[in-house]
Amino acid sequence: MEKIIYPKVGIREILKTFWKAGGPYKWLLFTVVFSIIVVNIAEVITPLYYKRFFDTVIAATDRLSTSESLIRIIFIIFGLNGIIWLGYRIATFVENKFLTAVSATLRQNAFEYLLRHSYSFFSNNFTGSLVQRVNRLARSFDRLSDKIIWNVIPLLVKIVGVGIVLSFLKPLVAGIMLGWALLFMLFNYAVSVWKLKYDIQVAEADSKTTGVLADAITNHHSIQLFTHVRSEVGLFRKVTEAQATSHKKSLDISAFVEAIQALLIITIEFAIFYLAIGYWTENIITVGFFVLLQAYILGLTHRLWEFSRVIRDIYESYADAKEMVEIMTLPHEIKDVRGAKLLSVQSGRVSLSDVSFSFNQTREVFSGFNLDIAPGEKIALVGPSGAGKSTIVKLLLRLHEPSKGSVMIDGTAISSVTLDSLRGAIALVPQDTLLFHRSLLDNIRYGRENATDEEVRQAATLAHCDDFIDNLEDGFATFVGERGIKLSGGERQRVAIARAILKNAPILILDEATSSLDSHSEMLIQDALDTLMKGKTVIVIAHRLSTIRKMDRIVVIDGGKIVETGTHDGLLANEEGLYKKLWMLQAGGFIQDTGGNTIARKRSRLSSQSDEEETPPETEEFTSPSHPTEGI
Ligand code: ADP
Ligand code: MG
């Protein structure tokens, strides 16, 4: 996998992403923040009444008249607690709505942006980590908002409130308390910043484990067939152990931070009371002041104790969000140009002129490649595997973009039209079709969203899907398993053909569209394909040369270059040509084969390089070999 180079993502980009999703709900956020501020102001004021309460009790001479004052005080405290109670309830319920709604929007935004990334983007990323990143973005927002609403804002309000109150009563105490709180926060902040790199390591190790896990589960079949369970377990052990190491380091640092915090708290409690006793001795403060101090120290340390966790959570959220926001700020590699027109295919001429293309800038596939396909022409691309046939298809669909030259349809560069209109004009039956874990009906309907059930069934019949669908217990309602795993390759291919029939686009591309079918099914489908091809520009890529004999033109490609071009008969006339060689390899031994081991015969022929059978298989009775020769 190529490493994707992401744009630099900082707090700004992350907040922008959050704001975009949260914008419509900003009134909810304001309500929550307002309630939380009111609650915390009330929580700073309440201890003042406790102070007054105790001072009143101690100064009491006449209990009866004092009790009236005391009752007044507890009524006020009751009222303040009522405000606190109400404020918390409002904040909680409104926050529930705010967090869930914004998380959903974030997921939707991430999903949509992700799906518009290019083909190469997905080839260079693990499915598992992408899934995780989308989820983590929402989780990160959830955590971040929660911490800010329930910890950061209360802490700020408390510090300011306590500072103001104490500075009216005893400025020195206020100074010490604030200085200490500042020291506490600075210490936490410094440690957290230093620890950030370990947190990012934890997140990365986490992603890696998920990636390996998902990759292995996707390939479980190969793992078992090649009996690689042990080596895969070994690989997984390596990544999970790396994950454990970085996780432990991060936890240890946190534990160390907590130890220092506890020391700081014990010290402030001692120092403040030591100072207060001095004041009390000099009769400067009352007993109520001790109560006030204790309430404030408790309130502040309670908030401050969580502060390191808050910073950690904020940074973790940052690391979590960063991974997805990177993807969301990475510009889409292939997108509509400004003012892109709709492609309307009139005649269906397709041309690649002077096209150069390399994978990942290094692996050159084409250099100055030219191919012109006339309107309605049916051409076949043949050549050894790796020649670049599928790449031509990808260039045509703009899954990749040429580094030089242009691809045109009806004289319009495909880069200047909208992707939707381009892809709407081309029906592709790919080499390997993956299906959604949805019903067969829905999977086939994917060819044309608004097709009626009847049309879907018709297309399925034309593509000979009914042969196997009728045998399924739930028929068209059968769910096909993840990626269509419950269907055979040939069955999936027929679904893909049915989709193409439904789509009925003016340009049709069959990339080894029948390679997984047995000869009998292929013959049946060939029928449907012939009908489908009528009046369309068609590009067929096929290993089995027998299937392309009727094409208007056959283009033989090798190593990204056109080496031969002509009709089937014309090409066969060239004894030295690659096409003739391929043809002989595939069919030469086949027509004379009478049920023996075809492959073995071919093998021996290949190794001896002798050509005893001189009759090329040009008879109509010819049936294609059911196993294409590897590598053609
Ligand atoms: P084929 O003619 O068999 O369809 P392709 O067009 O698929 O060949 O591939 C042409 C060349 O490009 C091959 O050498 C192949 O290995 C390489 N290639 C294909 N896809 C990628 C990719 N995503 N990244 C790098 N190289 C690729
Ligand atoms: Mg291919």
Side-chain angles (χ1 to χ4, degrees), residues 386 389-391 431 511-512 541:
K389 305 177 297 286
S390 297
T391 308
Q431 216 161 343
D511 188 352
E512 318 247 357
I541 298 172

Side-chain angles (χ1 to χ4, degrees), residues 328-367:
M328 292 171 81
T329 38
L330 178 72
H332 289 134
E333 194 185 352
I334 293 177
K335 59 179 175 207
D336 294 351
V337 292
R338 202 187 286 274
K341 299 181 298 267
L342 288 179
L343 172 68
S344 94
V345 179
Q346 302 300 329
S347 57
R349 172 182 295 280
V350 175
S351 39
L352 289 91
S353 64
D354 197 27
V355 166
S356 298
F357 174 74
S358 316
F359 279 108
N360 312 320
Q361 274 92 48
T362 49
R363 189 155 177 180
E364 184 178 271
V365 183
F366 296 112
S367 163

